[in-house]
Amino acid sequence: MPPREAFAESGAISVETITEVHQWNEELFSLKMTRPASFRFRSGEFIMIGLPKDDGKPLLRAYSMACPSYAEELEFLSIIVQDGPLTSRLQHIQPGDPIYLGKKPTGTLVTDALLPGKRLFMLSTGTGLAPFMSLVRDPEVYAMYDEVIVVHSVRRVADLAYRELLESKLEGDPLLEDEDRAKMIYVPTVTREDFHTSDRIQVLIDDGRLFADSKGPRHFDPETDRVMLCGSMGMIKDHAADLEARGFVEGANNKPGQFVIERAFVG
C-alpha cells in the first residue's frame, strides 16, 4: 500500500485510517475507517473513497455507506475485481493503512426521495446491499413505515454478507427499539446453490413469495408500497421497468416518488 506521505488532503478529500477489514469470502470484503468529526450523511447515500495512483493523483470510486448515519466509524462493502484499478489494490488494505475519503456524500437511495407509504422494500443484488445496511439500522426509517423489507439476492450462500445480523433482526443495535426490529423482514435468496429460497427476485415478486412474511398484500401496491433498488445495471433496469408497468413513478431528491434507484451507479 502507498505510504501515508503519498496521500495529500484537499478541499474535496480527507485522509482517513482503516480500522477494520472483514473478509466475507474470497471475493467479498468490508472495511471500516475513521470518521471525521464534521462528516454528515443521510442513510443510503454514497461517497468517494480511494488511494493514490502511481502519478500521485487520487484514484476514487463511489461507495455506499454500509453503516448507520450515527456510526462512529464509516463502513463500506466491496467486491474484489482482479483487474479493477481500485479494488485490485483495495483488497490488500490492512488496519492502520491510510485511505482517501470524499467530503460530499450524496445519492438518491434516501427516504427524502420517496413519498410517504406503509411498506418499504429494499431490493438488492450483491454489494447493492450496502446502502440498505445503513437504512435498516436507522430508527427514523421505522418511524416512517409499518414494515421494512430487505431483499438480498446472491449467487452463493457465502455471498450473503451481514446474514447473521439481518437474521437476528439487528440484535444488539444500540438505537433500535424492539418494535422497530419487529418491523424488519429479511428475505435472502441464493440463485446458484441450494438454499431455502433459490430464485431471482422477480420470480419471488411474481409468485408472491417476496411478501410471505408481510402483513400486507402479496403484491406491490403503488399507493402504499415504496421500493428502493440497488444492484447490477441489468437488475436495476429490469426492476425499474417492472415497477413502472405496475404504476410506480420514480422519485428523486427534488421530486419524491414511489421508487428510487441510484443513478450514479447505473450511468
Side-chain angles (χ1 to χ4, degrees):
M1 299 302 298
R4 188 168 290 270
E5 52 266 27
F7 290 74
E9 295 205 7
S10 71
I13 52 176
S14 64
V15 179
E16 301 305 319
T17 301
I18 296 295
T19 58
E20 183 181 326
V21 178
H22 181 83
Q23 203 76 35
W24 296 99
N25 59 39
E26 75 281 3
E27 297 177 346
L28 187 66
F29 68 101
S30 55
L31 54 86
K32 292 182 179 181
M33 68 178 71
T34 53
R35 176 178 181 168
S38 60
F39 190 85
R40 299 286 183 271
F41 70 95
R42 296 177 296 171
S43 299
E45 288 188 317
F46 68 88
I47 193 69
M48 307 299 285
I49 67 173
L51 299 167
K53 293 188 290 187
D54 292 339
D55 62 5
K57 295 180 180 179
L59 173 63
L60 305 172
R61 293 290 184 269
Y63 276 81
S64 295
M65 266 74 69
C67 52
S69 57
Y70 57 81
E72 293 182 0
E73 297 174 318
L74 298 176
E75 184 172 359
F76 302 89
L77 179 64
S78 180
I79 194 166
I80 298 169
V81 180
Q82 293 301 339
D83 56 352
L86 181 58
T87 62
S88 61
R89 300 166 63 199
L90 206 58
Q91 65 176 307
H92 302 297
I93 207 160
Q94 297 294 323
D97 288 342
I99 188 167
Y100 278 130
L101 173 71
K103 295 183 178 179
K104 290 187 176 181
T106 188
T108 48
L109 292 176
V110 292
T111 55
D112 291 346
L114 291 172
L115 294 166
K118 292 184 177 180
R119 296 191 295 187
L120 175 61
F121 291 84
M122 306 175 187
L123 309 185
S124 64
T125 58
T127 55
L129 177 68
F132 302 151
M133 290 307 302
S134 177
L135 284 152
V136 78
R137 290 182 277 187
D138 186 338
E140 293 184 10
V141 173
Y142 295 93
M144 299 176 185
Y145 296 94
D146 296 336
E147 292 181 339
V148 177
I149 301 166
V150 183
V151 184
H152 190 204
S153 176
V154 296
R155 295 176 179 179
R156 306 174 302 160
V157 176
D159 297 330
L160 288 171
Y162 303 100
R163 176 186 175 186
E164 290 186 5
L165 179 61
L166 292 168
E167 284 183 336
S168 76
K169 288 184 175 284
L170 311 167
E171 185 177 350
D173 190 282
L175 293 191
L176 294 184
E177 303 290 345
D178 287 346
E179 52 264 37
D180 296 332
R181 295 171 56 231
K183 292 181 177 182
M184 199 277 283
I185 298 171
Y186 174 47
V187 184
T189 184
V190 178
T191 59
R192 296 191 183 179
E193 288 182 355
D194 288 337
F195 195 64
H196 58 72
T197 307
S198 57
D199 285 299
R200 293 182 179 275
I201 295 173
Q202 190 62 55
V203 175
L204 303 182
I205 293 170
D206 293 340
D207 67 17
R209 279 180 292 161
L210 190 84
F211 313 92
D213 293 327
S214 171
K215 296 175 183 176
R218 292 176 68 93
H219 58 81
F220 280 137
D221 182 350
E223 291 299 314
T224 56
D225 291 336
R226 301 295 172 256
V227 186
M228 294 179 164
L229 304 175
C230 195
S232 67
M233 285 190 287
M235 172 269 195
I236 291 175
K237 289 177 180 177
D238 288 347
H239 283 289
D242 177 69
L243 288 168
E244 288 174 346
R246 296 171 188 266
F248 284 72
V249 176
E250 184 181 348
N253 279 293
N254 59 353
K255 190 177 181 181
Q258 293 148 322
F259 80 96
V260 288
I261 67 174
E262 185 48 77
R263 291 211 162 268
F265 299 150
V266 177

